[in-house]
Amino acid sequence: MGNAFKFTEEGQIKITATGEKGKDKAISVRIQVSDTGIGIAKEKQHLIFKEFTQADSNTDKKFGGHGLGLTISKKLAELLKGKLTLESKLGLGSTFTLLLPLEITDAVEKPTQEMPYLAPKLRMLIIDDDTALLHMLRELAESMGITAHTFTNFLSIEKDSHLAYDLVLTDIQMPQVTGFEVLKKLQSGVYKHYTNQPIVAMTGRRDLGPEAYIGVGFSQVLQKPFSKGELIATLKLLGITTQKQEESEEKTEVSDQGPKLYNLDIIHSFLGKNEDAIQDVLGTFLSDTKTNMQLLEETVTANDYPQVNHLAHRMLPMFRQLKVENCVTLLEKMELCTPQDLDPDMLSSSFTVLKHDVRKLVTELEERLATNPDYNG
């Protein structure tokens, strides 16, 4: 379906699903996705199911992609004892057909107890240079009965330490060691504490699909900002399941009285009504934001575009978590800007607007944090 939308600029996309009964309880399910897109020449159709291959060398330049989606889809279909086939004519469109053999059951068994979702004494190694997000993940882990080992820099992790963990969460774009390098270093065999535990990528990038990460060795991908539910779903996909922990007693919630500049929905999905934990995360976010804005002003003044890109990228995850849309729009522009698309005057102007918006956000957050006697400003 994704490819159909990507490659069809005019016309229509049609999806049909039918089931044909076989012997006894067997049923054959047929799902077809037809489009009126660019189509594929017959002599090139055999290429599209091969890894990192596309029918036309110009396709990736115009439409993007890495040539993995159909490969993964075909392999998944075969694992389910089905098949994925193609009919296409160049310039007229394509029809992909997925056939799956299924079996009808008489009834769904009702579990005698609540379905489990967390492993007992689960331990996670978390690496992210965003201290506010790292703080929130640590608070979330503790609320779920998970032991979290958190690091802002992979270089702080010793090769021969007795660090014990069952799962790794790593950010992708970090200044000294990227998430891709974390993956490579851990899998090199040099780190004695790494024994093939799953490694999950956390990323705020929008230009790469999940296959770009899974294709190089990551077990799963979490797109920032993600919720507690999405993290739990990822754990389930990795097979980390056992009896659910009892919910800890929630602390009294302080009303936000409808903040105008930020939204705590995602924060609440992580931390529930634990007001102390929320205040701690917001306090860390404020401290980091003040430091980052000072650094950003210096780099904008110096027209240091690579550092502007880096700082904007580092700030984006928590601004997205708080849904500060006006600031997110400006930071996304700065994250990718070059002198060609945003000259120094325009960059300075954008920063001035960002500075004004951030100042209003800081004021509103500080008013909220003022209700906490432990907050020092």
Side-chain angles (χ1 to χ4, degrees):
M1 289 169 59
N3 279 350
F5 278 99
K6 182 189 293 185
F7 297 114
T8 304
E9 295 180 346
E10 293 183 359
Q12 66 176 3
I13 295 163
K14 184 179 180 182
I15 302 163
T16 58
T18 58
E20 184 176 331
K21 198 174 185 317
K23 291 183 179 180
D24 299 324
K25 297 180 180 179
I27 183 171
S28 177
V29 173
R30 178 191 300 267
I31 301 172
Q32 288 187 308
V33 180
S34 302
D35 64 60
T36 56
I38 60 175
I40 303 166
K42 189 170 184 178
E43 65 271 16
K44 294 184 178 180
Q45 290 177 16
H46 69 285
L47 296 173
I48 65 166
F49 291 112
K50 292 184 178 180
E51 293 181 3
F52 301 107
T53 306
Q54 295 181 328
D56 191 325
S57 59
N58 293 320
T59 297
D60 63 329
K61 295 177 183 177
K62 182 176 180 181
F63 297 99
H66 301 272
L68 279 170
L70 288 172
T71 306
I72 294 170
S73 298
K74 188 174 179 66
K75 288 182 178 179
L76 285 173
E78 291 169 351
L79 284 170
L80 294 169
K81 303 189 186 310
K83 60 181 180 179
L84 181 64
T85 59
L86 164 69
E87 292 180 13
S88 184
K89 290 185 179 180
L90 186 64
L92 297 177
S94 304
T95 297
F96 284 87
T97 301
L98 173 65
L99 291 173
L100 289 177
L102 302 179
E103 185 175 306
I104 300 173
T105 59
D106 293 325
V108 178
E109 291 185 10
K110 294 183 179 180
T112 55
Q113 57 185 12
E114 188 176 6
M115 287 298 291
Y117 81 110
L118 285 181
K121 300 179 181 177
L122 180 66
R123 301 157 300 181
M124 290 198 302
L125 172 62
I126 310 174
I127 308 149
D128 199 313
D129 64 331
D130 185 335
T131 55
L133 183 59
L134 201 62
H135 190 162
M136 186 167 68
L137 287 172
R138 184 169 57 245
E139 292 279 1
L140 170 64
E142 290 175 359
S143 73
M144 296 166 69
I146 299 172
T147 299
H149 306 291
T150 57
F151 294 86
T152 56
N153 189 338
F154 181 78
L155 296 176
S156 302
I157 302 174
E158 297 178 4
K159 296 176 182 177
D160 57 353
S161 73
H162 296 288
L163 194 62
Y165 49 90
D166 307 294
L167 173 73
V168 181
L169 296 180
T170 179
D171 186 29
I172 292 299
Q173 285 184 259
M174 295 180 287
Q176 292 182 286
V177 181
T178 70
F180 291 108
E181 291 170 331
V182 168
L183 176 74
K184 188 176 180 181
K185 287 177 181 292
L186 286 177
Q187 292 181 340
S188 68
V190 175
Y191 290 81
K192 295 180 180 179
H193 43 78
Y194 181 72
T195 55
N196 207 34
Q197 297 95 321
I199 303 177
V200 177
M202 300 185 295
T203 179
R205 292 184 63 169
R206 300 291 195 265
D207 58 333
L208 294 178
E211 68 274 9
Y213 302 96
I214 295 172
V216 298
F218 285 103
S219 301
Q220 289 293 334
V221 185
L222 280 166
Q223 185 77 49
K224 295 180 180 178
F226 54 88
S227 66
K228 178 180 177 180
E230 288 170 314
L231 175 59
I232 291 172
T234 299
L235 295 179
K236 287 182 178 180
L237 285 173
L238 294 172
I240 300 174
T241 58
T242 188
Q243 188 168 357
K244 183 177 178 179
Q245 302 262 342
E246 290 296 324
E247 292 290 336
S248 58
E249 186 176 342
E250 293 179 337
K251 299 185 180 181
T252 304
E253 182 182 14
V254 176
S255 173
D256 297 317
Q257 296 183 355
K260 297 178 181 179
L261 302 177
Y262 65 94
N263 185 303
L264 292 179
D265 287 350
I266 298 177
I267 306 294
H268 283 145
S269 83
F270 274 89
L271 305 176
K273 297 178 182 179
N274 188 338
E275 185 62 26
D276 287 347
I278 292 170
Q279 296 284 78
D280 284 346
V281 168
L282 294 179
T284 303
F285 168 73
L286 273 178
S287 176
D288 287 353
T289 297
K290 290 174 182 177
T291 300
N292 288 331
M293 285 299 290
Q294 183 177 345
L295 291 171
L296 190 57
E297 184 164 21
E298 293 171 3
T299 57
V300 168
T301 302
N303 295 326
D304 186 345
Y305 280 78
Q307 275 301 308
V308 169
N309 299 157
H310 165 67
L311 284 166
H313 175 79
R314 189 166 74 185
M315 294 172 69
L316 265 168
M318 279 305 298
F319 276 85
R320 285 180 176 141
Q321 295 279 6
L322 290 168
K323 299 183 180 180
V324 190
E325 301 300 341
N326 52 342
C327 293
V328 167
T329 300
L330 290 165
L331 286 169
E332 285 178 340
K333 185 189 298 184
M334 292 182 180
E335 181 189 24
L336 302 173
C337 71
T338 64
Q340 288 71 40
D341 57 48
L342 199 68
D343 64 40
D345 288 340
M346 293 172 64
L347 176 62
S348 178
S349 176
S350 295
F351 177 76
T352 299
V353 176
L354 177 67
K355 188 174 181 180
H356 175 263
D357 290 344
V358 168
R359 188 181 295 118
K360 290 196 296 183
L361 173 67
V362 167
T363 300
E364 195 166 288
L365 283 171
E366 285 182 334
E367 289 175 358
R368 184 187 197 281
L369 290 174
T371 61
N372 187 344
D374 296 327
Y375 178 65
N376 297 317

